[in-house]
Amino acid sequence: MSHWDVNKLFRLYQTRLRHFVQRRKLSWHMADDIVQDTFLRVVATPSLPEPEFAKSYLYRTANNLVIDHFRRERILSFVTDADKAFEFVADDTPSPEQIAWSRQELARLQKILKTLPKPQREVFVLARVEGLTYVQIGEKLGIPSQTAFSRMVRALSLVKQAMDQA
């Protein structure tokens, strides 16, 4: 997990992000809320990209929050009682068929992972299950991060090939 100095980032980007958000036709107080939510997301995110990507991550997060805001506004405009607005949102709970299919796919994937060579399986599990970066995987396994990446590419290729055959 990358460590970001959120206080420093806030001092550096808070005003710029507010202007960025306000250019999307939002009031200053809504822009402030979105900027605050942007930094809350950073604090709450367990796996952040490397610090050199902080600026683009912040702007992308702020932009996504603006999009979410306008989506909520669009939903609220269709109902007369805003308190009942979410009664009109479709239920995204998976159906029993979707649950059964997902379980079958998971079981297939588990069987395929057991057949992977140990180096590829280790990297796949560390990256996809534990959420480690390639640098962290390299440190944990005592290999260069490029090797971890190469093993992941090979693991994904083998998994895709096996899933396509099944």
Side-chain angles (χ1 to χ4, degrees), residues 114-132:
K114 288 179 183 177
T115 67
L116 288 179
K118 185 179 178 189
Q120 282 80 17
R121 184 176 55 248
E122 285 177 326
V123 171
F124 185 92
V125 169
L126 291 172
R128 298 300 171 134
V129 177
E130 295 185 23
L132 299 181

Side-chain angles (χ1 to χ4, degrees), residues 4 8-24 26 31 34-42 48-68:
W4 290 6
K8 180 180 175 184
L9 288 172
F10 184 79
R11 287 190 305 274
L12 187 61
Y13 291 111
Q14 178 257 341
T15 304
R16 296 178 198 178
L17 279 171
R18 187 177 343 98
H19 290 263
F20 171 78
V21 171
Q22 280 182 296
R23 283 194 305 261
R24 273 121 182 103
L26 291 171
I34 288 177
V35 170
Q36 182 180 9
D37 286 348
T38 299
F39 283 96
L40 284 173
R41 294 261 173 112
V42 168
L48 293 168
E50 296 303 314
E52 61 263 21
F53 301 113
K55 179 180 177 183
S56 60
Y57 185 87
L58 289 170
Y59 278 87
R60 172 60 62 192
T61 301
N63 192 55
N64 289 343
L65 289 170
V66 168
I67 291 168
D68 290 346

